[in-house]
Amino acid sequence: MPVSGRHVGAAGTQLVTISFAGFNRAWAIWIGDCLERRGVRVGYQRWDPRAGTSLEDELRNLMLAPGRILVVLSEWYFQLGPRGHEEWNRALHAVVAPDPGRFAAVSVTTSALPGATSVFAAADLTNTGQADAERRLLAHLELPEEPLPRPEGAKPAPRYPAVTPEVWGGVPRRNTRFTGREALLSDVYHALQDAGPGAGVVTVHGMSGVGKTQLAAEYVYRFNAEYDVVWWVPADRRALYRQKLAELAPELGLNTGAEYGERLRAVRDALRRGAPHSRWLLVVDGADEPDQISDLVPNGPGHVLITSRNTEWGEYNSSLIRVPEYDRDESVSFVRRRAPRLTETEADELAGALGDLPLLLDQTAGWLNDSDMSVREYIQLLDNGIEGDVVKVSADFPLAFQTAWSILLNQLKETVPEAVDLLRLCSFFAPGSIPVRLLKEMPPGDLPEQLARLMNDPVLWNRAVGRLRQYSVVRLESHESGTEEASSGESIYLHRMVHKVLGLDLREPDRGEFVDVVRRALAAADPGRPMEALYWPAYAEIVPHLKWAQVLESTDPAVQNLVLNCLRYMYCSGEYRAGIKLGERAMETWRELLGETHPRVWDVGYHYANLLRAVGDYAVTEAMERVVVNHLREERGPQDLNHLRAATGLAADLRGLGRYDEALEMSTWLLLAYRDLLGDQDSRTVNAQNNLAVSLRLLGRYEESRDLDRRTLEARRLLLKPRHRWTLLSEISYATDLRLLGRYSEAESLQAQSARVHVITLGADNPQTLIAEYNLALCRYRLGERGEAGTALARVLERAERVLGESDPLTLMLSAGQSCFAREHADVDQARAISDRVMDGYRMMLGEDHPYLAGIRANHGLILRNVGERDQAHLLIEGALADMTRAVGENHPWTLGCAINASALRNLVGDPESAAELTEATVTRATEVMGRTHPLTLSARIAYAADLRGLRDRTGAEKVEGEALGDLASSLGAQHVHTVSARSRNRPYWDFEPQMI
């Protein structure tokens, strides 16, 4: 760090250069602030003696700095190099003792320092509070205690280094062996400080084992005085990231409920606003998949520091800083600090053999220091391999990583065999954070003898973990305790490369025993309630470990139940893609393990189909479910519950495929069957009633669906909790029915309350929450609240695209709504682009003959009309009308809506007679099907009046228009936006609205 000075006060009377080790930057900045507030000019000189130079020369170079030199004494100041105490004593006697007036010093450590440091006569700032430390500093430098007034608008004073930020969580313990990386730390600091508001995001990236996490941790400790909030969040898994970020809510004093979805939303909002703290730092550790969590990275006045192997973060508004291997001087310094018995030459040879990779240097130097093996013998082992078996674990590493690890494991087996047992257990969890508390919570009788002793004997446990920590194989994650007690940790952190090589070390008999322990530990941790959001954090912790524990190969019923519950959790929480991968593997494995017709195969197939259906793979799920339905009906009969469950899925597939009449027939039969078997009050019967209402709604029979949905909602409120996911879903369904019937105020009132509860209970980004907020936006749009509705439609679509992707069925549904709104009230070019994307999406997902594609084409025709492409719009809408008629019949509301739009285009292209004929027929059919005062019927009547005026039938037009306006005023209100528009003789149009199936 170059020397810099700045005036504080009217006239600086002294100049001081503060010399400090980078490790003690916080002390240097605090001391500098104390001096500047007394009118002293301050410069900063980071002490970093070059390798190969004498200390005497380096100290004389320091004396070239202007003013008095104030040295911040700590063990770090004297370790840099590293240099021995004898060399330091000689240099201090030679340079400092003859000119003591140039130097002053403060001590910030209680560790032993070279004896000659007594020449500094340092002021002791340890073990004291801020006020006393400041008095000692000022007295030592003979400065006045009374400070100058702080200029208005000046930055807040730096925090006293012995005090942590007000909010502090998740940060790993400081690595007291951290070495070098000074330029990188400076680059990170300036990149964050120089970023504008809301843009302070920096990603440090590099290959595994290069020290990204250690760099981030050192940044936190070195610069934490500039933050009021420091929060560390693991990000290798989206669900875990969400959970840990949500845990910040109570620390910020935010008034939220216990559900982590509500907490997460409150945290992101508080960070964005900078309230209650604007100086915050969020460390996002191990974020190797930006597309999984980028939408959850907060913006605002604070800073975000990300560690990742993935450079794609540069596409997400993050600055990128690469973390390379150590340079050789850093490697040598680190090895000599880690293994003092090694000479500089030996340290250099070891660094070269291990490719200057910090992780390997840390682990290897640690045990070499305790070993009698020489560096050359170790390097020879690396070159030759263990028993000739040298395998490179990763192409990223230019050395035989497995061989280096085999040497270390052999050492551990001889000295602390319990540590190797613990490592072997960890190899059957996912790499990263490993919840060892799950193992310790198991009854001793469920564990093999050697493992039971390890888990239940605190001495053995602490010995094993302590040795692994000593060799930097693991780190504890009991961060908040601030203690070094191994037994206090609920989890330990195992690096992914260490994890990978461990899996190669186990013999097959041991492998089965160890993996069985981990499986049973995971099964015992299953809350058994995957549909309740309160338990989703527990499932989010369990799911990543399923693959590594090879749970699909287990025949234990408890383990199999865990798999099924995890699939259900992933469906309910919206983790569809990950759930599909697990479901696919489970189907394949269990068919081979248990047989094609085993009940467990039907169970996993049910959950797998739900997940596939959630992403729109209706044709695939229909084929799967039909095979199951046919088999179970023949084998067990039509009243078998497993058969009914499969038939329920098949009905949903038929709805997804647009085969609504078939779905209605099946849904009707299912409700009767469930009633006969289980009665009206069983939740499965109520679910069947809900599904029948969905089929009726898709057929446009809104009155019937409303009646069923009302009864379903009442039943679920009685049988389930008011905040149960299914109860909330019934609120959406009932509010949707009310809106589709034109009862906008009732729908908005119910949906507004329900949307708030959705956010609190399920979280802002849960798919069901997105549906609730979308329906609320549509309610408000129909009530004429266009500004609020437009903002909500855009916001909910943005979240869906980020969470689910552009091709998800829900995203396509929301996009259709946003396109219609943008066409009329925002940007017709944006509307067209979105509509093109929706048409392509539905064409690929559903095929050319699906009614949704016909409806979206009708919407697109209105966009073409607005941009002046009348002929093309006319052809498209006429085609949509014909396609919709074939798909759902001429009396379906969707067909009637297409007819309203088609009549408008017939007028525009000069065919008023045909237009009037079509609207007259539409009015007749709409009145019969939906009633005289339904909004769609009223739109048809207003359109018919316009067509009659076009034919110069003014008498007929005025009669139709007058009656329609009267009905509009009585049903919607005289000042409702639709009434006002009709009174202004704006021709109505109809927007197709896809529904969830």
Side-chain angles (χ1 to χ4, degrees):
M1 182 183 292
V3 175
S4 62
R6 45 199 170 123
H7 286 278
V8 177
T13 57
Q14 300 185 41
L15 191 150
V16 171
T17 295
I18 300 176
S19 176
F20 64 97
F23 195 84
N24 301 123
R25 178 189 181 277
W27 278 106
I29 297 300
W30 178 79
I31 291 168
D33 181 74
C34 291
L35 302 186
E36 287 178 334
R37 286 187 291 118
R38 274 76 185 177
V40 177
R41 292 176 58 208
V42 176
Y44 297 92
Q45 183 73 53
R46 179 171 52 80
W47 175 248
D48 190 12
R50 293 167 296 168
T53 61
S54 73
L55 279 177
E56 295 176 19
D57 288 343
E58 292 292 341
L59 287 171
R60 291 190 180 96
N61 289 338
L62 178 61
M63 293 180 69
L64 298 176
R68 199 173 185 188
I69 297 167
L70 176 62
V71 180
V72 181
L73 300 179
S74 75
E75 63 272 30
W76 274 87
Y77 199 91
F78 300 101
Q79 284 180 355
L80 292 172
R83 318 281 182 149
H85 280 204
E86 290 185 6
E87 184 179 356
W88 267 106
N89 288 332
R90 288 195 302 271
L92 292 173
H93 281 300
V95 179
V96 178
D99 194 3
R102 282 298 310 279
F103 291 91
V106 294
S107 175
V108 296
T109 183
T110 57
S111 299
L113 301 178
T117 54
S118 59
V119 71
F120 287 115
D124 184 9
L125 302 188
T126 61
N127 298 321
T128 186
Q130 178 173 352
D132 190 39
E134 191 166 346
R135 281 193 297 271
R136 293 183 187 185
L137 170 69
L138 299 174
H140 186 63
L141 297 178
E142 300 179 346
L143 291 172
E145 288 192 15
E146 192 65 29
L148 297 172
R150 188 175 290 277
E152 187 174 345
K155 291 178 61 176
R159 185 183 302 100
Y160 182 53
V163 177
T164 57
E166 183 174 339
V167 178
W168 174 274
V171 182
R173 293 182 181 87
R174 193 170 194 177
N175 181 1
T176 56
R177 295 189 294 269
F178 187 87
T179 299
R181 306 301 203 188
E182 298 294 343
L184 280 175
L185 288 165
S186 179
D187 289 345
V188 172
Y189 175 76
H190 289 295
L192 289 172
Q193 295 295 326
D194 295 344
V201 181
V202 168
T203 299
V204 291
H205 66 93
M207 71 178 185
S208 294
V210 82
K212 303 179 291 295
T213 297
Q214 294 298 327
L215 179 75
E218 181 61 22
Y219 176 88
V220 166
Y221 284 100
R222 200 168 284 198
F223 297 99
N224 75 73
E226 303 194 18
Y227 300 99
D228 299 315
V229 176
V230 175
W231 201 252
W232 186 289
V233 182
D236 50 334
R237 302 183 288 276
R238 177 183 174 87
L240 181 61
Y241 174 85
R242 285 165 53 89
Q243 174 192 344
K244 295 300 183 183
L245 185 57
E247 290 174 2
L248 178 56
E251 303 299 325
L252 294 177
L254 304 180
N255 187 19
T256 67
E259 292 84 358
Y260 86 98
E262 180 187 2
R263 290 184 171 190
L264 179 64
R265 179 178 60 85
V267 166
R268 294 176 63 193
D269 183 61
L271 297 180
R272 178 184 58 80
R273 292 184 292 105
H277 301 286
S278 61
R279 301 196 312 166
W280 52 263
L281 171 66
L282 178 69
V283 182
V284 182
D285 186 33
D288 293 333
E289 298 184 35
D291 60 324
Q292 292 297 307
I293 67 160
S294 60
D295 60 305
L296 298 175
V297 174
N299 55 25
H303 296 155
V304 179
L305 178 58
I306 300 169
T307 72
S308 178
R309 293 180 297 164
N310 197 330
T311 58
E312 289 181 8
W313 276 107
E315 301 172 13
Y316 293 87
N317 299 318
S318 172
S319 301
L320 297 178
I321 295 178
R322 178 177 173 269
V323 181
E325 298 86 345
Y326 274 151
D327 64 38
R328 184 53 53 83
D329 287 342
E330 289 175 326
S331 294
V332 170
S333 295
F334 178 79
V335 170
R336 293 198 66 198
R337 185 174 302 159
R338 191 75 171 92
R341 78 174 181 85
L342 303 187
T343 67
E344 186 167 344
T345 299
E346 289 174 325
D348 183 83
E349 291 175 351
L350 182 65
L354 297 177
D356 296 297
L357 188 70
L359 176 65
L360 270 181
L361 290 172
D362 192 12
Q363 294 164 344
T364 303
W367 79 261
L368 268 178
N369 192 56
D370 298 336
S371 170
D372 295 331
M373 185 180 293
S374 71
V375 170
R376 291 195 175 179
E377 288 173 330
Y378 178 78
I379 293 174
Q380 187 174 6
L381 274 179
L382 282 179
D383 291 338
N384 297 334
I386 299 294
E387 298 178 356
D389 182 19
V390 181
V391 180
K392 290 186 178 180
V393 172
S394 169
D396 291 337
F397 291 88
L399 53 92
F401 193 92
Q402 183 186 349
T403 303
W405 255 93
S406 296
I407 297 170
L408 176 57
L409 285 175
N410 284 339
Q411 177 82 2
L412 287 170
K413 287 173 187 176
E414 294 173 4
T415 57
V416 191
E418 299 86 2
V420 179
D421 287 338
L422 178 56
L423 278 179
R424 286 171 165 170
L425 278 174
C426 290
S427 72
F428 294 107
F429 288 93
S433 181
I434 296 176
V436 290
R437 74 178 188 285
L438 302 185
L439 297 167
K440 299 184 73 176
E441 290 169 357
M442 294 181 69
D446 291 349
L447 294 168
E449 181 180 353
Q450 77 214 59
L451 297 178
R453 286 196 313 114
L454 173 63
M455 296 298 160
N456 295 287
D457 185 335
V459 175
L460 280 180
W461 175 264
N462 287 334
R463 182 182 177 213
V465 176
R467 186 57 60 92
L468 294 175
R469 290 183 61 246
Q470 178 185 346
Y471 292 162
S472 299
V473 178
V474 302
R475 73 167 189 258
L476 292 183
E477 295 209 309
S478 54
H479 315 302
E480 283 71 34
S481 67
T483 71
E484 295 296 314
E485 290 295 326
S487 61
S488 67
E490 287 196 345
S491 61
I492 60 177
Y493 185 90
L494 186 68
H495 195 280
R496 68 178 66 245
M497 294 310 299
V498 176
H499 181 278
K500 192 167 187 177
V501 75
L502 281 172
L504 304 174
D505 180 65
L506 282 174
R507 296 184 303 276
E508 196 58 40
D510 290 339
R511 179 182 297 273
E513 185 176 52
F514 279 68
V515 74
D516 187 57
V517 169
V518 176
R519 289 171 183 168
R520 284 187 279 123
L522 293 174
D526 180 3
R529 301 166 83 172
M531 292 187 63
E532 296 188 33
L534 185 64
Y535 298 97
W536 289 353
Y539 283 107
E541 183 179 44
I542 291 171
V543 164
H545 305 294
L546 299 181
K547 170 186 173 183
W548 301 97
Q550 302 163 21
V551 295
L552 299 181
E553 298 174 15
S554 173
T555 57
D556 184 340
V559 176
Q560 292 176 344
N561 280 334
L562 171 66
V563 174
L564 298 175
N565 283 339
C566 286
L567 287 169
R568 188 65 168 168
Y569 146 73
M570 296 163 100
Y571 173 72
C572 294
S573 64
E575 303 286 343
Y576 301 141
R577 299 296 177 184
I580 287 170
K581 290 180 182 177
L582 175 61
E584 183 178 19
R585 293 199 308 270
M587 285 286 289
E588 181 180 347
T589 304
W590 286 4
R591 278 173 171 164
E592 183 175 342
L593 182 68
L594 306 172
E596 291 279 349
T597 60
H598 193 281
R600 286 298 194 190
V601 175
W602 304 133
D603 290 338
V604 77
Y606 167 74
H607 293 296
Y608 181 42
N610 281 342
L611 288 156
L612 288 172
R613 194 179 301 114
V615 299
D617 284 348
Y618 307 123
V620 172
T621 54
E622 192 267 345
M624 285 174 52
E625 299 281 27
R626 194 168 293 280
V627 169
V628 177
V629 166
N630 292 339
H631 174 83
L632 291 176
R633 185 173 59 243
E634 293 176 8
E635 289 288 321
R636 302 184 180 185
Q639 300 299 104
D640 176 74
L641 286 173
N642 283 318
H643 170 258
L644 295 180
R645 182 179 67 176
T648 298
L650 180 57
D653 301 328
L654 294 172
R655 288 194 292 271
L657 293 170
R659 293 156 61 178
Y660 303 136
D661 289 323
E662 293 177 68
L664 177 65
E665 181 181 358
M666 184 166 286
S667 298
T668 303
W669 174 80
L670 281 164
L671 177 56
L672 293 174
Y674 274 117
R675 278 178 177 161
D676 289 343
L677 280 173
L678 305 173
D680 285 333
Q681 298 304 304
D682 189 273
S683 64
R684 286 164 288 188
T685 304
V686 177
N687 290 347
Q689 185 171 271
N690 171 84
N691 296 336
L692 176 57
V694 176
S695 296
L696 289 167
R697 188 184 312 117
L698 288 166
L699 283 166
R701 293 161 62 172
Y702 303 140
E703 293 276 4
E704 295 172 78
S705 65
R706 178 206 57 192
D707 292 342
L708 273 181
D709 279 326
R710 183 180 63 242
R711 296 207 301 271
T712 302
L713 176 57
E714 291 169 353
R716 282 176 168 171
R717 284 174 172 170
L718 182 64
L719 294 171
L720 307 172
K721 296 177 182 178
R723 292 190 173 191
H724 191 281
R725 180 175 178 270
W726 286 347
T727 307
L728 296 175
L729 183 61
S730 283
E731 290 178 349
I732 297 175
S733 299
Y734 185 46
T736 300
D737 296 329
L738 292 172
R739 177 173 57 78
L740 292 174
L741 288 168
R743 295 165 60 175
Y744 303 134
S745 295
E746 293 176 72
E748 193 276 341
S749 177
L750 172 61
Q751 191 62 77
Q753 170 64 20
S754 181
R756 286 191 293 270
V757 177
H758 267 86
V759 172
I760 293 169
T761 304
L762 302 182
D765 293 334
N766 185 272
Q768 189 170 309
T769 303
L770 298 179
I771 298 171
E773 293 192 343
Y774 175 66
N775 192 44
L776 176 60
L778 292 181
C779 290
R780 289 174 173 167
Y781 186 27
R782 300 303 177 215
L783 285 170
E785 300 171 14
R786 291 173 177 169
E788 192 170 349
T791 300
L793 287 169
R795 185 175 62 241
V796 76
L797 175 59
E798 179 201 10
R799 281 167 28 218
E801 287 177 338
R802 282 187 284 158
V803 174
L804 301 171
E806 289 187 352
S807 62
D808 185 87
L810 176 54
T811 306
L812 293 176
M813 184 180 87
L814 305 183
S815 298
Q818 173 65 16
S819 175
C820 291
F821 182 88
R823 181 193 73 226
E824 296 300 319
H825 306 292
D827 182 345
V828 72
D829 292 330
Q830 178 198 44
R832 186 171 190 170
I834 296 174
S835 183
D836 281 331
R837 196 164 64 240
V838 175
M839 282 197 298
D840 289 342
Y842 277 137
R843 186 181 297 110
M844 292 179 62
M845 181 185 295
L846 305 173
E848 290 286 346
D849 298 328
H850 198 281
Y852 280 16
L853 188 57
I856 294 300
R857 284 172 172 159
N859 290 348
H860 197 72
L862 295 179
I863 296 173
L864 298 181
R865 177 204 64 180
N866 283 12
V867 298
E869 299 178 21
R870 296 180 177 180
D871 291 336
Q872 189 174 351
H874 174 232
L875 290 173
L876 191 60
I877 289 179
E878 289 288 351
L881 174 59
D883 291 342
M884 191 67 83
T885 303
R886 282 192 297 270
V888 295
E890 64 177 9
N891 291 329
H892 195 290
W894 296 346
T895 307
L896 300 175
C898 286
I900 292 173
N901 294 345
S903 67
L905 267 296
R906 291 181 184 184
N907 263 309
L908 284 177
V909 297
D911 190 3
E913 292 84 2
S914 176
E917 182 181 342
L918 179 59
T919 49
E920 182 180 19
T922 302
V923 169
T924 301
R925 293 201 303 272
T927 303
E928 292 174 357
V929 173
M930 312 192 72
R932 176 184 176 86
T933 59
H934 187 278
L936 186 60
T937 306
L938 290 169
S939 292
R941 290 165 63 188
I942 293 295
Y944 183 45
D947 290 340
L948 291 175
R949 275 195 301 274
L951 294 175
R952 307 198 187 284
D953 182 358
R954 295 189 178 183
T955 302
E958 289 177 2
K959 181 178 184 297
V960 171
E961 183 180 62
E963 292 174 350
L965 287 173
D967 286 342
L968 273 168
S970 61
S971 61
L972 298 180
Q975 299 306 313
H976 189 278
V977 61
H978 294 342
T979 308
V980 172
S981 179
R983 216 165 29 235
S984 302
R985 292 187 172 172
N986 294 318
R987 187 182 183 98
Y989 55 86
W990 171 80
D991 288 334
F992 170 70
E993 175 194 326
Q995 299 286 332
M996 295 303 294
I997 59 94

